[in-house]
Amino acid sequence: MANLDTSSPSISSSSFEMVEAIEIYEPVIPHWFYQSIHDGRESWLPFSKQDSDTLEEAFCSGCNPQGFVIPTCGSRYDVFLGSRKRRAVYWDEAESEVQRCTWFYKGDKDNKYVPYPEDFSQVLEDAYMMAMTRNEWKKKLESPFRDIIILHNPKLMVHYQPTGTPDEWGATPSEQGRPRTVKRGVENTSAHIPCGETSHIDHLVFMVHGIGPACDLQFRSIIQCVNDFRFASLRLLRGHFKKALDQDLIGRVEFLPVDWHSALHADATGVDNDIKRITLPSISILRHFTNETLLDLFFYNSPTYCQTIVDTVCGEMNRLYQLFQQRNPAFKGHVSVTGHSLGSLIMFDLLTNQHDSTPNNPVQTKAQGASPLEKKQALDDVLQELGLTEFLTVFEQEKIDLDALVLCSEQDLVDLGIPLGPRRKIIQYIKHRGGLQGITSVSELKQPPFASGSTLNVVNYECFDVGIGQVSVTYPQLNFSPEIFFALGSPIGMFLTVRGLKRIDPKYQFPTCKRFFNIYHPFDPVAYRIEPIVLRELEFEPMLIPHHKGRKRMHLELKEGLSRMGTDILGSLRTAWQTFTRPAPPSLPHPIEEAADQCVSDLPLTSEATEPEASAPVKEDPLHIDVGMLNGGQRFDYVLQEKPIESFNEYLFALQSHLCYWTSEDTALLFLKEIYQTIGVSMDQPLQ
């Protein structure tokens, strides 16, 4: 019995271990990654679980992978499954590698886990499966890079990178250097898997950058900065619109970058080569920075390059909008535009010169008040008067009415194929006779649509298009009507002032855009207010943007509390001083019987009793200040709250404050709040 007791447990134990080992092994769950190269450093970033599952489903479908093109990252990138490439859809960007990842090792620089190549990961998985099923460990494998991987047990697997020099036989040490940890499956690594983005898009926002190719202190491009702003909006959407998300009332807001700097400084214009030839060789770094950034301001005030800039901005937005509609055919939302720094001025001038085709629009000029039939008949009459009726079909094919004809330049007529003789007749007619009902001269077209009579200026801007100092360019038309225009760190107010504009007519509104917001940081050296140009008679503060977590920042509340306390103390001291220094009132005679019998309330009030009431100022509610129709009758100057550290030295953080908007959660939340108000969706809890 003793022999049986000692022998049978050993047999059963071995059997149970084998069964247990077989049951423990489970195939690894793959996750898809893409390669990112930034500043020469390579890193592998995971797709969202939603995108990874879609890629894995296509990979396991058994079909030819060469035919699969999978939209990922909110449909902003396409993954070509066969070639394992990831390509940007809306902008120019170097394609990146895509990989199906199962095994990882820890890198030597940033301690992030790096995936093994797909084929070697399969070798590791096969070795791991054999070790698990047979319970045979201490497996040693060699990678394609001659690195050594040792599988000690399921919890301990290490990667050795050979170091040292080869010996006289050409062999290199195989297990020298610090071992690196090897992990199986992405769930065992520290990789942060982003949340997926819903395909339901409520609103589209185009974001136009300012001067230079870099948009922040890290010298990142507009694409990277807009990515940060988009991710911040997604986080805030889940935190402040959770109820609407849970009820599937909303999806998300898409932000797309608009790059015009690359087109301006491309080889086609040749401007960089021209500037380089005249640039002095001294302080080369500073001069290169000036040529790359500050010169954009001068380019925008040049007729030649201003035309290139506005054509690029408008053309890029139209291209992106058309491409977005093709990829999102179910999109029924609105479109908004955003401009940062000089980009906001570009958008302001562009929106000012748009033409609304909506009939009976109250903000249109006289030229835009006629019906389409009347305009077509007027164009027929003009061409018949000039003896050019044979060109009517040319204008009709290009959808040019009399409004558009008046705005055509000579180059536009050349592009239409109009010969020299008829072309000169049309140009002479535009100059000297006009052609629209209610317009008697071209100078009437040049009246600024938002200037208030004599408050404009005494400078003759006859050479400019709309009379507020823009250079003479032909402004292209957008293929959509923006819902809201957000200006970030904008110099619009300064440019309008130096152009000679004294006041914006309170009745003025963008022809095709309903809302406008001028958002700025209090220490931003480039930003200017615009409301005082509309309302010149009153001094008032801008609207304060709430903190995204509610209320004001603590240091601002403390500052206001101390200021209020100081005001109360000073008021009390002033009252006490006036009491002590006031001369004693003269003694009154004894009242007569009639006065003694009179009620105190019937006595006339003295001037001293009425003085405090008369001198009490009436403070107007900042929400109800009338600042015109530029934002639909609502306030549009909004100021951010500075951070506590920024309040110590505003000069030190001046440059940073001009570039802070891309990562500002307060700004992103204001975007979401105003955008979703247009469809009747409010935040879970309003901020104070």
Side-chain angles (χ1 to χ4, degrees):
M1 293 290 294
N3 292 335
L4 290 175
D5 292 338
T6 57
S7 60
S8 81
S10 62
I11 296 174
S12 61
S13 175
S14 174
S15 302
F16 288 147
E17 287 179 2
M18 183 64 68
V19 173
E20 184 180 0
I22 295 175
E23 292 178 349
I24 287 177
Y25 173 76
E26 294 181 359
V28 65
I29 300 176
H31 196 92
W32 289 76
F33 281 66
Y34 63 92
Q35 189 182 45
S36 175
I37 301 177
H38 182 62
D39 293 336
R41 299 175 58 185
E42 297 182 0
S43 60
W44 287 89
L45 304 176
F47 286 98
S48 67
K49 188 177 186 307
Q50 176 182 348
D51 290 341
S52 180
D53 292 344
T54 304
L55 291 170
E56 183 65 17
E57 182 180 356
F59 176 80
C60 298
S61 64
C63 300
N64 183 9
Q66 298 295 334
F68 283 106
V69 180
I70 311 297
T72 59
C73 303
S75 192
R76 294 180 298 274
Y77 290 87
D78 282 340
V79 171
F80 294 79
L81 199 60
S83 59
R84 297 291 200 273
K85 298 294 184 182
R86 173 178 175 266
R87 299 171 187 170
V89 173
Y90 296 105
W91 52 81
D92 292 331
E93 182 179 318
E95 63 181 15
S96 56
E97 298 287 338
V98 174
Q99 189 170 299
R100 182 176 182 263
C101 304
T102 53
W103 284 76
F104 306 83
Y105 67 93
K106 183 174 288 188
D108 56 349
K109 294 182 180 180
D110 51 8
N111 289 330
K112 291 184 178 179
Y113 282 92
V114 181
Y116 286 105
E118 287 189 40
D119 51 355
F120 186 66
S121 294
Q122 188 60 46
V123 173
L124 289 173
E125 182 64 19
D126 294 340
Y128 179 84
M129 181 182 65
M130 295 295 295
M132 287 288 292
T133 55
R134 298 180 181 180
N135 198 22
E136 296 176 357
W137 294 97
K138 303 295 183 181
K139 292 279 188 181
K140 183 183 294 186
L141 297 95
E142 184 175 351
S143 73
F145 307 104
R146 302 190 65 82
D147 296 350
I148 302 300
I149 295 91
I150 300 179
L151 309 181
H152 291 285
N153 58 58
K155 302 296 183 182
L156 179 59
M157 295 171 284
V158 293
H159 176 122
Y160 289 96
Q161 187 174 17
T163 58
T165 58
D167 57 17
E168 56 185 5
W169 301 99
T172 57
S174 60
E175 296 186 17
Q176 294 185 7
R178 184 172 60 90
R180 305 179 188 179
T181 306
V182 176
K183 294 292 184 181
R184 175 178 178 267
V186 68
E187 65 276 2
N188 295 319
T189 67
S190 57
H192 172 68
I193 300 177
C195 298
E197 300 179 38
T198 177
S199 59
H200 177 199
I201 299 176
D202 305 309
H203 204 92
L204 175 63
V205 180
F206 294 120
M207 309 194 82
V208 184
H209 66 85
I211 62 173
C215 295
D216 63 359
L217 292 178
Q218 302 176 28
F219 296 98
R220 297 185 304 168
S221 66
I222 178 65
I223 298 172
Q224 295 169 306
C225 291
V226 172
N227 286 342
D228 277 356
F229 197 88
R230 185 188 305 108
F231 294 149
S233 71
L234 289 174
R235 291 194 303 269
L236 294 169
L237 201 62
R238 301 183 190 101
H240 293 272
F241 293 85
K242 190 175 185 303
K243 294 180 180 178
L245 283 173
D246 293 341
Q247 298 173 6
D248 292 330
L249 297 178
I250 60 175
R252 64 181 178 92
V253 178
E254 180 62 280
F255 298 87
L256 295 180
V258 178
D259 178 22
W260 55 266
H261 183 272
S262 301
L264 176 64
H265 294 267
D267 295 336
T269 62
V271 64
D272 282 359
N273 292 330
D274 296 338
I275 293 295
K276 186 177 181 180
R277 282 196 296 267
I278 62 175
T279 301
L280 301 181
S282 59
I283 53 174
S284 58
I285 297 178
L286 181 58
R287 294 187 191 277
H288 177 73
F289 173 78
T290 302
N291 293 346
E292 283 284 318
T293 56
L294 299 182
L295 284 186
D296 288 345
L297 290 171
F298 299 99
F299 287 143
Y300 188 65
N301 287 283
S302 162
T304 301
Y305 298 111
C306 180
Q307 186 70 63
T308 301
I309 292 174
V310 296
D311 286 346
T312 302
V313 171
C314 184
E316 182 68 3
M317 284 194 291
N318 287 338
R319 182 189 70 85
L320 292 173
Y321 181 62
Q322 181 180 3
L323 184 57
F324 178 82
Q325 286 185 313
Q326 292 175 359
R327 296 179 64 87
N328 301 273
F331 176 72
K332 302 298 181 184
H334 294 287
V335 184
S336 294
V337 293
T338 303
H340 174 244
S341 189
L342 180 62
S344 64
L345 179 65
I346 297 171
M347 288 307 309
F348 184 88
D349 291 341
L350 192 61
L351 292 178
T352 301
N353 290 276
Q354 296 297 295
H355 304 295
D356 191 2
S357 58
T358 305
N360 301 325
N361 192 319
V363 299
Q364 294 307 296
T365 60
K366 296 178 182 179
Q368 296 163 336
S371 66
L373 181 61
E374 292 172 337
K375 293 179 182 178
K376 182 178 183 300
Q377 184 63 36
L379 180 61
D380 294 344
D381 295 339
V382 170
L383 294 178
Q384 185 175 3
E385 180 182 350
L386 298 176
L388 304 175
T389 54
E390 66 269 21
F391 298 104
L392 178 61
T393 57
V394 176
F395 293 115
E396 288 180 343
Q397 288 177 357
E398 297 296 330
K399 298 182 179 180
I400 296 178
D401 55 13
L402 201 53
D403 280 343
L405 182 63
V406 174
L407 297 174
C408 285
S409 65
E410 184 172 2
Q411 183 60 42
D412 294 331
L413 298 177
V414 172
D415 295 338
L416 290 173
I418 307 298
L420 179 61
R423 190 165 67 240
R424 299 310 304 172
K425 287 184 180 181
I426 295 175
I427 293 176
Q428 190 73 9
Y429 177 85
I430 293 175
K431 283 184 177 180
H432 297 287
R433 295 190 58 183
L436 289 176
Q437 298 154 343
I439 295 182
T440 58
S441 66
V442 179
S443 61
E444 185 172 344
L445 284 174
K446 298 181 184 297
Q447 288 294 330
F450 46 83
S452 293
S454 60
T455 61
L456 178 60
N457 49 51
V458 296
V459 182
N460 182 14
Y461 284 113
E462 189 66 25
C463 61
F464 300 127
D465 282 342
V466 295
I468 57 170
Q470 293 107 312
V471 294
S472 181
V473 297
T474 302
Y475 285 91
Q477 300 298 301
L478 294 169
N479 294 338
F480 56 89
S481 296
E483 183 75 14
I484 309 175
F485 169 32
F486 297 98
L488 305 177
S490 173
I492 292 174
M494 181 269 292
F495 269 85
L496 292 180
T497 302
V498 299
R499 287 172 177 176
L501 185 70
K502 298 297 183 181
R503 184 184 182 188
I504 298 177
D505 194 323
K507 298 179 181 179
Y508 175 72
Q509 192 175 15
F510 290 118
T512 59
C513 186
K514 302 176 182 178
R515 306 287 304 280
F516 170 66
F517 289 89
N518 180 37
I519 303 170
Y520 61 92
H521 190 282
F523 303 155
D524 189 341
V526 180
Y528 290 82
R529 293 191 63 186
I530 303 178
E531 287 178 340
I533 306 179
V534 180
L535 190 60
R536 298 172 57 89
E537 299 80 11
L538 184 65
E539 292 187 3
F540 53 97
E541 295 295 324
M543 298 295 294
L544 187 66
I545 299 177
H547 190 264
H548 66 280
K549 294 183 179 179
R551 301 183 62 83
K552 294 181 181 179
R553 294 184 184 269
M554 184 178 297
H555 71 287
L556 293 179
E557 291 190 347
L558 182 61
K559 185 188 298 185
E560 287 186 359
L562 293 176
S563 177
R564 194 181 305 111
M565 184 184 301
T567 303
D568 294 341
I569 293 176
L570 289 176
S572 301
L573 292 176
R574 187 181 297 108
T575 303
W577 177 257
Q578 291 175 353
T579 302
F580 284 118
T581 57
R582 182 180 300 168
S587 58
L588 297 176
H590 294 288
I592 58 177
E593 293 182 0
E594 291 81 0
D597 295 336
Q598 190 175 8
C599 180
V600 177
S601 61
D602 297 334
L603 295 175
L605 295 176
T606 63
S607 59
E608 293 180 354
T610 59
E611 182 179 356
E613 183 177 354
S615 61
V618 178
K619 192 171 182 179
E620 191 169 357
D621 187 358
L623 284 174
H624 296 91
I625 297 177
D626 184 9
V627 291
M629 295 302 297
L630 202 56
N631 190 28
Q634 301 180 19
R635 299 287 304 275
F636 53 85
D637 275 352
Y638 279 76
V639 60
L640 290 166
Q641 303 179 37
E642 71 272 16
K643 297 178 181 178
I645 191 174
E646 294 174 343
S647 60
F648 286 107
N649 192 327
E650 55 191 46
Y651 292 96
L652 185 63
F653 294 94
L655 180 59
Q656 177 179 332
S657 66
H658 181 60
L659 306 172
C660 72
Y661 306 100
W662 306 111
T663 56
S664 171
E665 293 180 302
D666 299 349
T667 304
L669 186 58
L670 178 64
F671 273 53
L672 296 177
K673 173 177 172 290
E674 297 299 331
I675 286 173
Y676 279 110
Q677 275 187 353
T678 61
I679 60 175
V681 177
S682 302
M683 295 191 298
D684 296 340
Q685 293 182 352
L687 300 179
Q688 299 180 354

